[in-house]
Amino acid sequence: MKVSLAEVPASVVAEAEQAADAADARAGIDTRPAHVDELDGVLARFEATWGAGRGADRATVQALEHAGNTVLVAIPRVEERPTQEDASRNPPNPIPLGATLGFLGWSGGLHVHSHMNAVDPTARGRGIGVALKLRQRAVCLANGITEMRWTYDPLIRRNARMNLVRLGAEVLAFLPDFYGELRDAITGADRSDRFEVRWRLDSSRTARALARGPLPEWRAEGGLPLVADYERVRAEDPDTAVRLRDASREAFAVLAHDSSLRVELDADGDYVFTRDDPDREA
């Protein structure tokens, strides 16, 4: 398959960089490409999230970084870092607050696949995950790439809201048991069902989402309500989690048989199936 870079207007690149800078300021961090001597910290952040040995090894991450792929870190802003005197009493943690890893793909069109995005649990709620995604977007657009993709567990409502509402990505496909049996610190014995999403980085949909514009009232032809905290249910009541997973698979099966039906998240945080244009305005 022949792929080519897009001609992205300088104004669009500048807007993306400004959006990433603004997200950094809100979160009190700086997001940027990782330095080679920070890769051990990147791996430590991934391992702290998914467990030891659950990601790429250092040599692979270094090769990806050397080839120009998006290996990014989120670190505290200069004014928030400890003074030299404070650091001597409490040495700073070399692990970044957040890290993300993405690599180039061209199946179905040139894009960056954003594979891993991890944030220190003690720093969640500050918008660090969004800031890393926005920095990744700015890097992509500066290099002529106008699409990112990634996967997420469709039953985790906070991730659905971040991906579909806060960023403006859209669901491409339902992928049952995509990664096989993970047995990692997050998924445990649960099945690794995933939604694959596409983020069109310079689309009107993305612009609306980043501007916090109102959601359209999607015309629904079915859907699936989500529990508020599936991860808690999975940890405290595995039998209920299994039933929720089974119900979601049954609901999502319709998507495989009707290519015009898409998934959106409504204002209540539940999935709706719709044939509306993904760029429809509110």
Side-chain angles (χ1 to χ4, degrees), residues 236-259:
E236 297 180 357
D237 189 352
D239 290 340
T240 296
V242 169
R243 289 194 292 272
L244 290 171
R245 183 70 68 187
D246 288 341
S248 71
R249 284 190 168 191
E250 183 176 350
F252 298 148
V254 67
L255 303 174
H257 303 294
D258 190 339
S259 60

Side-chain angles (χ1 to χ4, degrees), residues 97-130:
L97 290 175
T100 192
L101 168 66
F103 45 82
L104 199 63
W106 51 83
S107 176
L110 189 66
H111 63 278
V112 161
H113 183 85
S114 184
H115 182 51
M116 305 179 86
N117 193 34
V119 175
D120 184 339
T122 65
R124 286 178 185 162
R126 290 169 50 178
I128 294 175
V130 169

Side-chain angles (χ1 to χ4, degrees), residues 134-150:
L134 290 176
R135 185 64 61 190
Q136 210 171 14
R137 171 180 179 252
V139 171
C140 286
L141 289 171
N143 287 279
I145 297 169
T146 59
E147 184 175 312
M148 283 172 53
R149 299 182 198 171
W150 60 89

Side-chain angles (χ1 to χ4, degrees), residues 19-29 77 126 130 134 166 210 212:
D21 290 344
D24 282 3
R26 289 191 296 268
I29 57 169
R77 304 220 100 168
R126 290 169 50 178
V130 169
L134 290 176
R166 179 67 184 87
L210 297 184
R212 304 292 185 100

Side-chain angles (χ1 to χ4, degrees), residues 165-210:
V165 178
R166 179 67 184 87
L167 297 176
E170 58 201 275
V171 174
L172 277 182
F174 173 58
L175 308 172
D177 253 334
F178 183 59
Y179 295 110
E181 189 175 283
L182 285 171
R183 296 280 176 178
D184 61 20
I186 293 179
T187 307
D190 197 3
R191 288 162 285 182
S192 61
D193 294 354
R194 296 292 185 267
F195 271 161
E196 180 182 16
V197 299
R198 171 179 62 189
W199 194 19
R200 291 176 290 126
L201 305 180
D202 58 350
S203 67
S204 60
R205 176 188 176 97
T206 294
R208 170 179 57 80
L210 297 184

